[in-house]
Structures are given as structure tokens and as C-alpha cells.
Amino acid sequence: MDEPQAVEVAFPIPEDRLFTYLSHRRLEVGVRVLARLKNRKVKGIVVNTEARPPEGIELKPVERALDEEPLTGPYTLKLGYWIAQQTLCSLGEALSAMLPSAMREKELPLLEDSQEFHRIENLSEEQTQAVRMIVESPTGWFYLQGPTGSGKTEVYLQAARHVIDTGKRVLYLVPEISLTFQLIDQTRKRFKRVAVLHSALSPSQRLREWERIRKGEVDLVLGARSAVFAPMDNIGLIVVDEEQEMSYKSQAVPRYHARSVAMILSKWQGARLVMGSATPSLEALHAIEEGLFVRLRLSRRLAGGAQPQVHLLDTRQLNEIFSPELAQAILDTHTEGLQSVIVLNRRGYTNLYHCRHCHYEMQCPHCSVPVTYHKSRDLVICHHCGYSGKSPPKCPNCGSSEVGWAGYGTELVEQELRRLFPQLRLARLDSDTVADRKQAAGIIKGFAGGDIDLLVGTQMIAKGLNFPRLKTVGILNADIGLSIPDFRSAERVYSLIRQTAGRAGRYRPDGQVYIQTYRPDYWVMQAAAQARDEEFQKRELELRKTTRLPPYTRLLRVVLRHRDVGKVKADAAALSLFFERSKTGSLEIIGPAPCPLEKLNDWYRYHALVCGPHVHELREIGHRMRSWKSPSRSVVELDMDPYHLR
Ligand code: ADP
Ligand code: ZN
Ligand code: ZN
């Protein structure tokens, strides 16, 4: 019989410790095990099989191995250590988020792959040049910048073709995969051995795809953020499309950014990295300026499209939802036999319940945000914690019946559109109507095929979709988001407007965009409407520089939360003291102060920002914070390079 083996296991717990167990079966690094930890059975991952057992302590055996073979690829463990170091968490926390959670099943049904090929025969001059630059150099970082519809996707796919033909593999990241049916179709058509990792896969389907990738049965992995952890070796090309999208940053531990992971992975694997966007993030622009990326440009629309004509509509005096110009445009578009899209970045019916008598505004009982009324279900709903309740007929504060709702969301917009244009075939696409991915696919196919005249929805429909007969795009309340106290709000609004506008006229010379706004004179709105991207970027970068904000400094956000408001306050004071003691050199501390979202899901929240030009200094204080115990036991959350400050 074999000597029992001592193995070190990492668990998804905040402490950095690894735990040693005995195993009577040979286990490999990367295998998941169930083991007893403080009287609970916890799932962990074997990270070392040559552990020297601590002397004089009797080791417990692992309860059970969950895998015959490891789930990890050649870089997984190294990446786990890197993520833990970079995002201030433990190795176990990092690894458990990187690997699939499902159990293996015995049978592995084969997925059928399409054999059909489709190629655009003639790349444009610029596309040819871009593809050549990418494939000629075996490594290196490139930034493909070009307006929506300028053929970036085609460049990625052609470069992928070349890389795969030379025996290497491709990792293709997109921000949110669930609605990118069109891209999924395309990649499946062009390449034989494809894995698609999207959020709608069940855990066991995900595991199955994972296994195929690990066994080398796949040449191209298409997926969202966490696909960057796919256990793939021999990568020749990593694509990060729509690089500026915030969804690449994880909002839960480990709080990694897929863009940074892609950068390090490309170094380790000796692969090319291509990021692309019409509106690069300011971080990327800074990196391009620093010479880290080679910029490749595409300048014009190819499929018969032209940049759309953009109209800014002042809604300050408007009493209806639709300005007459936009309403007329929708009608004219329909008369021409063409289609329109209306985008509003707020779902629900109305979003502000208020009392005209005492000015009470109804907030979620668990969060410090207003609730939204959803008419179809006759419920008020909190979009932050999911609370739902009945809409009170009288003011809960003073009993007056002079209560009403204000503001509007996609549900009300849909109703209004049906009233104004009963002759149009209309569909709504937002997370309320598309609980189901199939349904969403149906709506998108219906619109692409011309069975729907008018599509209304949230930013979901603003991204990545190609509709040949789409002429008119309306953006309602384009200002949503500008009032959020976050230094990136202008950047976000700008990029959303540019992307949404980019849906129009991809295949037509006569695309038109109507932007309804309360701030038509605001320079960000004007720049977005006139597509003055470089001016926007230059001004915003200068602003960031003078105010010492990213990309010119780095940030570490510390959030304290507690169910007791007094305790979190006390801990905020203690945190101040901690900073006074441990602040080094060039670091600057802002706060602690209540978060903009002071109460969330019954947790009271305070936050502080640590800013500084040197990331190693930030990480140092961050790692020290990890062992800081808040005196009143508030939960401490650390977020390096945060993307939300709410
Ligand atoms: P982007 O990714 O920049 O938004 P796409 O790659 O999706 O742009 O291209 C937009 C449209 O133009 C697609 O329908 C695509 O098939 C088409 N297209 C791309 N390259 C060419 C080309 N060289 N000639 C004609 N049409 C093209
Ligand atoms: Zn009242
Ligand atoms: Zn809530």
C-alpha cells in the first residue's frame, strides 16, 4: 500500500493559511477535495502535494476527493497566486472563483459543431494592415480603435483564423455574452472547435465545456469575464473586445479585472493581445500614450454604412416622454419600411413615489434608494436588493392621499409607444422581459428578420448587435448616470451614448440618432453628439490629471459594513486611526465617510479611498488591512482599482 500523502489545501476563506491533510489516494495539484475545517466540511483545492507535515501534529485525512483529474490548466495556480496578490484576497478565494463549481458527471455528450464557412473575401486596406500587424508579430499588445461597424470583429476573426491555422489557440473575451448570439453564431460557423462560456450555462454544462478546453479539444474559447480563467495552454491570441466595459471588473471577491488578467496571461503564454473599442477607456488611452500598446486604427464603416446624423433634443420644457421630433422620426422610419430602437437605461414603470403634502419619497426599507413601480406585477421593487411590496395608496408618512409617481422606465415607455403607434409591431428587451435567454434570442432574431418594427429596452440592446434595417435610434433621458457621484460618470455616459448611437446606420447611409437630454449644453453631451471622441478624451484626461484621479493615480477602496449603524461609525473612526499609523510616503486618504449608498440590504456602509501614484504602496497598505480587525467587527471589503464608488 502507498504511503499516505500529505497535501496542502486552499479554502475559500479570507485568511491566507493553507491546511495540511492526509490522503490515502494519490492526489494531483488542482483536484478539488472535501475536507473538515473547523467542524464543517468545506470544498477546497489541493495546491501542494509535496507538503512536509508539521511535526507532532496528527493530520486529519481528507474526507473525499471530488475529481479524478484536476480542473486546472498549466497557468491556473500561478494565476491564482497573482490574483490573490493583486486583488488583496487569499489564494483559496481566488481559486474557488476561477474554477467551476459543479460535480463531474459520467457522460460527456458531444456538442455538435457547424461546418459551414463564411468569409468576407475583401478586407479593407485598414483591416488588412491591422490583421497583418497582429499576425506578423508572435507577441505584443495591440489596440484596435475604430467606430462601431468599422469591421473590428472581422479583424479579430481573421487574426484568429491565422493563429488557429498555425496550431495555436485563441481566447476571445466579450463583455456580456448572454446577448451576443450573433457573434456566437459567427464563431461557430467559422471555426470547428469552439467553446462558449456564457452566464446562462448551467454549472454542469460549464464544467463540460471546461473539460473539453482542458483536454485540448477546443481551438477558440469565446466568453465573458471569467472565461479568462479557462484552462487553455498554447494560446496565440487573446482578444478583449469592448475593452472599456465595466463588466470586465468583478464586483465580488476576487475583485479582478479581466483586462489585467489578459495582459499578464499574454505575457506568460507568449501570446498576442488585442484590445478593441470605439471608445477606449481612459486607462487604455493612457497605456497607449505610454507606449504599451501599438494602436491600429479603422476609420470608416464598411457594410454600406455611414456615421449617423445626431440630434440633441432639449427636454427641459417637455411634458411628454417623446419629443415631437423623435415621435415623427419613428413614424417616418416605419413609413419607409425601416426600423427604430429606443433605449432608456432604467427599467420598471415609474421610479419615484412621492407625497405632494409632506414631500415624503418612498425608499426601499432595506436600502437608501428609491423604489421603482412595476405595473405589470403591481409591485414596488428595489433594484438593489430585490425587495418587493405593495404600492401604498396613502402617504406612509402623513396619511395624505395626494401621492403620485414620477419618472419613467422602459415599462412605461413601452406602454406610451403602444398608445402613440398602435400600428407598429413592438417588443421590449430588458432584464424584466428576458428572464430567459431563449426569449431574448427570439426577440433579437425577430427584429433582425424584420418581424418587429420597434424595439425598446435598456442598455442591453445598445451593445454589439447588428441590424441591417435599423435606421433610427432614440436615447431617452441620456443624463441618467451623470448625477451619480463617481468620477467615471461622464466617461460612462459618453461611451453609452456613442455605443447606442453606433447601432444606427451600420448598413445604411441615412442612420439617425435622437438624444433626449436635460443638459443639451453640457460639453460631454455635445462632444458625444458630434462624435468628437478625441476632444472628449483629451479634456477628460486633463481633468483626471489635475484632480489626481485614475489613470494618473491608483485607488484602493475600503468599505466597512455592519448591520448596526453605531458600530460601523465606530469602526470608521478606528479605520481613521489605522490610516494615520500606517500611511506611507505618497499615499493620500479620503474619508472614511458614509457611502453614497449608505444602506444596502440592511447593511450600513462607510468607505474610504486610498490614493497614490505607486501601486506597490497601495498594495502594501491593502495587505496590511487584511489582517486589521475592526474593533466592532464590521465586515471589511477591499477593492483595488474600484469601478463603482456607490
Ligand atoms: P465592429 O466590430 O467594428 O463594430 P463588424 O466587424 O461587426 O464591426 O463589422 C460591421 C459590419 O461590416 C458587419 O456586418 C461585417 O460583416 C461587415 N464588414 C466587415 N468587414 C467588411 C469588409 N471588408 N467589407 C464589407 N463588409 C464588411
Ligand atoms: Zn405625506
Ligand atoms: Zn433595497
Side-chain angles (χ1 to χ4, degrees), residues 120 122-124 127 147-154 302-303 506-507:
I120 287 177
N122 301 308
L123 289 183
S124 72
Q127 284 174 314
T148 43
S150 61
K152 295 187 291 297
T153 309
E154 197 54 43
L302 297 168
R506 285 171 78 88
Y507 302 89

Side-chain angles (χ1 to χ4, degrees), residues 355 357-360 395 397-400:
C355 168
H357 192 68
C358 73
H359 302 294
Y360 166 86
C395 172
N397 186 41
C398 74
S400 160

Side-chain angles (χ1 to χ4, degrees), residues 490-603:
E491 185 185 352
R492 267 174 219 167
V493 168
Y494 188 89
S495 151
L496 183 61
I497 291 178
R498 294 285 291 124
Q499 274 196 33
T500 313
R503 293 309 113 210
R506 285 171 78 88
Y507 302 89
R508 321 186 48 78
D510 56 356
Q512 49 182 5
V513 179
Y514 292 83
I515 304 175
Q516 295 196 169
T517 168
Y518 293 102
R519 302 177 68 181
D521 303 324
Y522 183 42
W523 76 273
V524 174
M525 285 294 161
Q526 300 238 339
Q530 291 162 25
R532 297 197 308 254
D533 295 347
E534 277 180 24
E535 183 194 324
F536 171 78
Q537 292 157 359
K538 203 164 152 256
R539 260 181 95 163
E540 190 66 17
L541 275 173
E542 267 162 30
L543 199 70
R544 300 276 182 91
K545 200 173 203 166
T546 49
T547 47
R548 282 185 288 159
L549 283 167
Y552 297 98
T553 49
R554 303 285 289 267
L555 299 179
L556 166 63
R557 185 185 188 215
V558 184
V559 175
L560 299 178
R561 60 183 167 89
H562 204 295
R563 296 205 182 259
D564 182 322
V565 67
K567 292 196 169 151
V568 73
K569 235 180 186 163
D571 279 341
L575 180 63
S576 264
L577 288 177
F578 169 85
F579 283 141
E580 261 169 49
R581 280 198 316 268
S582 12
K583 195 172 98 64
T584 52
S586 52
L587 294 182
E588 208 183 308
I589 314 281
I590 304 171
C595 295
L597 237 170
E598 199 175 342
K599 188 176 155 200
L600 179 63
N601 226 342
D602 289 323
W603 292 89

Side-chain angles (χ1 to χ4, degrees), residues 374-449:
H374 288 244
K375 195 179 182 200
S376 62
R377 288 187 280 168
D378 192 26
L379 286 175
V380 298
I381 295 178
C382 170
H383 288 174
H384 286 273
C385 72
Y387 159 83
S388 67
K390 283 273 163 228
S391 167
K394 285 187 176 155
C395 172
N397 186 41
C398 74
S400 160
S401 46
E402 280 181 64
V403 288
W405 287 92
Y408 55 85
T410 45
E411 194 183 345
L412 178 54
V413 169
E414 178 192 0
Q415 178 186 307
E416 180 68 1
L417 284 168
R418 287 195 194 280
R419 188 181 69 81
L420 290 171
F421 311 110
Q423 70 278 33
L424 267 64
R425 294 165 299 170
L426 189 155
R428 185 174 111 221
L429 196 57
D430 57 34
S431 50
D432 293 322
T433 58
V434 296
D436 186 328
R437 195 165 164 270
K438 263 206 185 117
Q439 212 182 342
I443 294 176
I444 288 170
K445 289 214 168 96
F447 193 68

